[in-house]
Amino acid sequence: MKETLLKVVLQGYEDRIGGRFKPDNRFYKKVKINQKRFGQLVRGEKPIFGFEARNLAMFFEVPLESLL
């Protein structure tokens, strides 16, 4: 499976929190991405848009460049 930048960021976040990340509706509202789209981004099925990268970078507290 393709290792996307978002997947790498997610793995780093899980390492920081010491557990598995399980997004819920609050997460999707905060990053303004729905569940289906988020899954597509993680799996690399769709390209990430600028506003999505910005919102995810802010949520995961990583530099924007790590998602582009």
Side-chain angles (χ1 to χ4, degrees):
M1 181 190 254
K2 183 179 174 185
E3 192 77 357
T4 64
L5 295 174
L6 180 53
K7 194 165 203 156
V8 172
V9 167
L10 274 172
Q11 290 168 345
Y13 182 75
E14 289 177 340
D15 290 344
R16 280 199 327 262
I17 65 170
R20 187 159 185 255
F21 175 64
K22 297 178 186 174
D24 61 15
N25 284 336
R26 294 172 296 174
F27 166 77
Y28 297 117
K29 285 182 182 180
K30 186 166 187 152
V31 297
K32 298 179 175 79
I33 301 170
N34 68 35
Q35 184 176 0
K36 181 178 179 181
R37 175 82 177 151
F38 182 69
Q40 291 171 332
L41 295 175
V42 171
R43 292 186 300 271
E45 296 172 1
K46 302 277 184 169
I48 192 167
F49 295 131
F51 80 93
E52 294 168 329
R54 182 192 68 225
N55 294 349
L56 290 167
M58 289 173 52
F59 181 86
F60 292 117
E61 298 177 352
V62 295
L64 178 61
E65 295 79 22
S66 63
L67 289 168
L68 298 174

